[in-house]
Structures are given as structure tokens and as C-alpha cells.
């Protein structure tokens, strides 16, 4: 009986720690994404993705809010669209739009001295998308 109980206790501990690790990983990714957002997007899209950040004053177009992407897309966060849009793979409505093509300019505020390899950037973009998904209304 005893070994059986011990095994059971061990199993539930393993399950519990797996659960808590999973959720703190999610939080870490969202936090990391928030740092990328703050440096690369907030000036235009607002500190919390509400649109019209401080740099809007210098632009002809007001950068839209990014927290309402899900609401504007029938309640579904358009992850693929955002991901492609940010790296300039989608045609813009206005070719003169000030929205940067981040595949061309890179994350220059996160890495002012360069030095981020492709794998790092991929993680940064994935974290950024997790953050954007987390701030949807
Ligand atoms: C220099 C200002 C500027 C910066 C910096 C900027 N954007 Fe934009 N963004 C715009 C403008 C202006 C538009 C609207 C015009 C357009 O669609 O091109 C836009 C549009 C978008 C859209 C499309 C929104 C929609 O509802 O169709 C997404 C998604 C987006 N930006 C994401 C980002 C992300 C993520 C970052 C940071 C990595 C970022 N932008 C940085 C100015 C900016």
C-alpha cells in the first residue's frame, strides 16, 4: 500500500509543478513581449495599445489601437495577420504609411547595437504577439 501511495503523491507533485511552470512561462513571454512593444510600438500605438501614441503628432495618419484587433475581427485575434503585417509581408492600404517594416529595420530600439541573431528575433516577435493577444479587450 505504502509504495503505491508514495507513487501517487509523487505523481500529483509532478503534475502540479508542471501546471505552475506552464503558467509562469506564459507570463514571462507576455512580459518579454511587453518590453519589445514598449520600445518598438508604443510611441505610435500607445503605451497600452490604445492607439494614437505620442509620435502620432508628427504623422499624417493616426496609428490605430492594437488592443481592439480581436474585436474588429469577429472576436478572434488575427495572429497570422499581425505577424505578417509587422514584417512587411502584407500590402498596406496606404503605401506611404509610416508603419515600419520590421523585417527591414529590425528591432533597433531593443538592440541599438545590433547583435540579435535570427533565432532571438523570432522569439522576440513570438513574445510580442503573445503580449498583443493578452491585451485584447
Ligand atoms: C512610426 C509609427 C509606427 C510604429 C513605430 C509602429 N506602427 Fe503599426 N501602424 C502605424 C500606422 C500609421 C498604422 C496604420 C496605417 C497602416 O495600416 O499602415 C499602423 C498599423 C498597424 C497594424 C494594422 C492595424 C489594423 O487594425 O489594421 C498593426 C497590426 C500594427 N501597426 C502593429 C505594429 C506593431 C506590433 C508595432 C511594433 C513592433 C508597430 N505597429 C509599430 C504606425 C506605426
Amino acid at each position: 500500500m505504502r509504495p503505491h501511495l508514495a507513487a501517487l503523491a509523487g505523481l500529483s507533485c509532478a503534475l502540479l509543478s508542471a501546471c505552475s511552470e506552464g503558467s509562469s512561462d506564459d507570463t514571462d513571454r507576455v512580459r518579454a513581449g511587453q518590453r519589445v512593444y514598449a520600445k518598438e510600438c508604443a510611441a505610435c500605438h500607445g503605451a497600452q495599445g490604445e492607439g494614437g501614441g505620442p509620435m502620432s503628432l508628427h504623422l499624417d495618419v493616426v496609428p490605430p489601437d492594437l488592443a481592439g484587433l480581436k474585436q474588429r475581427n469577429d472576436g478572434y485575434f488575427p495572429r497570422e495577420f499581425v505577424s505578417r503585417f509587422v514584417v512587411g509581408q502584407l500590402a498596406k492600404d496606404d503605401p506611404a504609411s509610416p508603419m515600419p517594416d520590421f523585417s527591414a529595420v529590425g528591432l533597433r530600439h531593443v538592440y541599438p547595437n545590433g547583435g540579435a541573431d535570427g533565432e532571438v528575433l523570432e522569439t522576440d516577435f513570438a513574445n510580442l504577439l503573445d503580449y498583443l493577444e493578452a491585451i485584447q479587450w
Side-chain angles (χ1 to χ4, degrees):
M1 216 45 181
R2 253 166 210 257
H4 182 76
L5 276 179
L8 208 63
L11 181 66
S12 54
C13 285
L15 287 176
L16 278 175
S17 67
C19 291
S20 61
E21 262 170 36
S23 60
S24 77
D25 278 359
D26 287 354
T27 319
D28 287 351
R29 282 202 295 273
V30 169
R31 284 218 189 99
Q34 182 173 25
R35 285 195 289 275
V36 175
Y37 178 86
K39 294 199 169 181
E40 303 291 348
C41 323
C44 287
H45 289 285
Q48 257 90 53
E50 71 279 19
M55 210 189 265
S56 306
L57 294 173
H58 309 288
L59 304 174
D60 296 334
V61 203
V62 177
D65 79 85
L66 298 182
L69 283 165
K70 180 173 161 181
Q71 197 193 43
R72 290 196 290 277
N73 192 48
D74 299 330
Y76 160 77
F77 178 67
R79 191 173 173 109
E80 190 63 28
F81 161 80
V82 178
S83 152
R84 286 171 180 237
F85 193 86
V86 170
V87 296
Q89 283 178 7
L90 296 179
K92 294 174 180 166
D93 291 344
D94 170 11
S97 159
M99 167 75 196
D101 168 358
F102 284 92
S103 71
V105 298
L107 297 174
R108 61 200 152 154
H109 299 106
V110 178
Y111 304 103
N113 307 315
D117 66 21
E119 208 172 304
V120 171
L121 291 176
E122 218 171 276
T123 308
D124 282 330
F125 280 119
N127 291 339
L128 175 63
L129 286 165
D130 285 349
Y131 168 69
L132 289 174
E133 189 160 8
I135 60 166
Q136 298 305 302
W137 296 325

